[in-house]
Each structure stands twice: as C-alpha cells, then as structure tokens.
Amino acid sequence: MIFNNEHWNSFLQKEGLPKALPKPAYKDKEKQVPIKPIHLIDRLVFIVAKGVRDKALGEFSHRFEDVGTYDSDLTQLYKLEQEEAKKDKGIAQALQDLKSDLNRLRDYWATANRERGGPDEEDTSFATKSSGKKKSMTTFAAIAEHVRDGFLALQPSADAIALSPIVARWARESSSAPTSSTTGTTTTKQHPNLVEDLSHKSHAAQINKPVQTPFTINHWTLLKASTAFSLYHNTNFIWHAAGPELGLLKAQAKGMGGFRTMT
C-alpha cells in the first residue's frame, strides 16, 4: 500500500490536525515573542537558549564590571612626549598639530558613518541618522580604509620640524621607514573627502603623499597611535585607524618585542 498525499490529508482531517504548521516565531521578526511558545524550536530559542545566554552574559558582566577601555600601556608614549613637550617647543607644536589632525579624522569617521545610515559596527557615541535622509553609498570598509590611509599620512608640520631637531628626526624616520608589508610595496591612494577635510585645514596632514601599507614602524607612527588612543580609547575608531601600531605598543610594553602577521 502506498501512503500518498491523499492518505496523509485524510489522516490529518481524522485527527483534527492542521495541514500546515504555523510559522515559528523565531523566523518571523514581526511577531511578538510568545510567552509560552508551542513550537519546539521556539521553546529552544526563547526559553532554553535565552536562559543560558542571559546567565552567561550576567556572569560575564559581573566579572568584568570594573574593566574599561583605558590602557596605560598604550598611552605611555604619549605621556612621555607630553613631558618632553614642556622643555621642547617643537615637540609641543607637533603634539598640538597631531591632536588637531586626529580630531578632524575622527570627525570624518563619525560624519561618514552617519551619512552611511547609522553608527559604525560598535561605536554608538554619535546619534543615528533621522528617518527620511538618503543613505550614503559609501561602505563601512571604504570609510575605514580612508581613515587608515589618513592616519598613516599624518606627518609633523614644517613649523614643528623647524623648532626641534628631535621632531625633524621623527619626520625623516617616518618618511624613509621601511614598510612591514610582506610584499614591501608602497601605494598611493587618493581620497577626496579626506583631502578636502584635512589638507585645507591642517599643515600637518599630507594626504596626497604616498603612504606605506599596512603600517610602518618608527617613533612618530607609534606616537600617533598612542596619541589617538589617549584621545579616543572609548571608541573603535582607533582600532581601524591605528590597530597594528597599538598592537605593537602593547607587545613592547609586555616585553614581547615584536609581532607576527596573521592572515
């Protein structure tokens, strides 16, 4: 005997069962979460899994409730140069210019992500766009790349270089530093938004200058990263702008010395 659809429908009718099961709530985002879910998967999602998740998150939050984003290992270089700036006008000028440039770079990050349609992946320090505004066609990846290139391109100003032989040395080391890329290549990238935002407002930014990728190892570049972290440690902007350098600073602070590239 073949049990076909006709037999199946007859069986359902005899037992008073529906021909099709209702769509489970976990697949329907417009449905409210059921108080007493009937569907087996709904029970697993909304009762079993939710309970386990809430318990784990509660334990995690309790264990790390006193943990913040600040890391003294990453701000140490900036603080050291702040002390040196009290005795060296060139270093003081370089730090002042650098902070202004980083502020503008951070403003670009915030504005570009708002225009994209909302805050970036994690950072909620600025409001989402109001409804009715057209979303920017710029992708998050493109914004992050612009910020990274802008960060790498920042150099000491001519004024700071003229005031201090130390800053002059930073500039020479930065402009001639070998790339840590496995390919050793140097690329030139033009980003009109950053060029307009930074080069017209700051003498320290050199966005049109070829930049070395993925990152260079020298005092000025590490100082830029330390300064950026000191200003914006509570945002993820710093990790997209200076992530590799911050990792190196942390490794050095812990006596690990160097780094490995993971792909």
Side-chain angles (χ1 to χ4, degrees), residues 151-170:
F151 171 82
L152 289 174
L154 296 176
Q155 295 291 330
S157 69
D159 291 342
I161 291 172
L163 288 170
S164 171
I166 294 176
V167 177
R169 186 181 73 243
W170 295 349

Side-chain angles (χ1 to χ4, degrees), residues 61-81:
S61 177
H62 177 70
R63 180 171 296 183
F64 296 100
E65 60 184 353
D66 296 328
V67 176
T69 58
Y70 184 80
D71 189 332
S72 59
D73 289 338
L74 301 181
T75 61
Q76 183 179 14
L77 181 57
Y78 171 65
K79 288 184 174 181
L80 288 173
E81 294 304 344

Side-chain angles (χ1 to χ4, degrees), residues 27-212:
K27 282 191 173 182
D28 191 346
K29 294 182 179 180
E30 295 182 358
K31 271 189 177 180
Q32 290 185 340
V33 177
I35 298 176
K36 293 182 178 180
I38 300 174
H39 196 285
L40 176 61
I41 303 300
D42 283 344
R43 288 184 62 84
L44 290 174
V45 171
F46 297 119
I47 295 180
V48 179
K50 184 178 183 301
V52 173
R53 182 195 65 188
D54 290 347
K55 181 181 178 182
L57 289 176
E59 291 175 353
F60 183 87
S61 177
H62 177 70
R63 180 171 296 183
F64 296 100
E65 60 184 353
D66 296 328
V67 176
T69 58
Y70 184 80
D71 189 332
S72 59
D73 289 338
L74 301 181
T75 61
Q76 183 179 14
L77 181 57
Y78 171 65
K79 288 184 174 181
L80 288 173
E81 294 304 344
Q82 276 188 314
E83 289 300 313
E84 292 299 318
K86 296 176 182 178
K87 302 173 288 184
D88 189 313
K89 291 182 179 180
I91 294 177
Q93 183 69 51
L95 290 178
Q96 180 181 327
D97 295 338
L98 177 57
K99 286 188 286 186
S100 295
D101 287 336
L102 289 171
N103 285 337
R104 277 185 282 272
L105 201 57
R106 163 60 186 169
D107 289 345
Y108 164 80
W109 169 267
T111 301
N113 276 294
R114 276 200 300 269
E115 292 175 351
R116 187 175 62 88
D120 60 69
E121 295 168 320
E122 300 170 357
D123 184 6
T124 56
S125 61
F126 48 86
T128 57
K129 73 175 187 64
S130 59
S131 59
K133 286 187 179 179
K134 186 177 180 181
K135 286 188 177 182
S136 168
M137 296 303 290
T138 306
T139 65
F140 178 83
I143 295 169
E145 184 180 8
H146 289 198
V147 164
R148 176 64 176 160
D149 286 351
F151 171 82
L152 289 174
L154 296 176
Q155 295 291 330
S157 69
D159 291 342
I161 291 172
L163 288 170
S164 171
I166 294 176
V167 177
R169 186 181 73 243
W170 295 349
R172 288 194 304 272
E173 291 173 350
S174 179
S175 62
S176 62
T179 178
S180 64
S181 169
T182 53
T183 60
T185 57
T186 298
T187 60
T188 303
K189 298 184 180 180
Q190 300 290 336
H191 296 299
N193 289 336
L194 282 181
V195 172
E196 180 180 357
D197 185 45
L198 292 175
S199 63
H200 289 197
K201 299 177 182 177
S202 169
H203 41 245
Q206 299 178 16
I207 301 300
N208 288 319
K209 175 181 176 180
V211 296
Q212 295 171 316

Side-chain angles (χ1 to χ4, degrees), residues 10-23:
S10 177
F11 169 77
L12 292 176
Q13 185 176 7
K14 179 181 178 181
E15 298 296 328
L17 299 173
K19 290 185 178 181
L21 292 174
K23 187 176 182 179

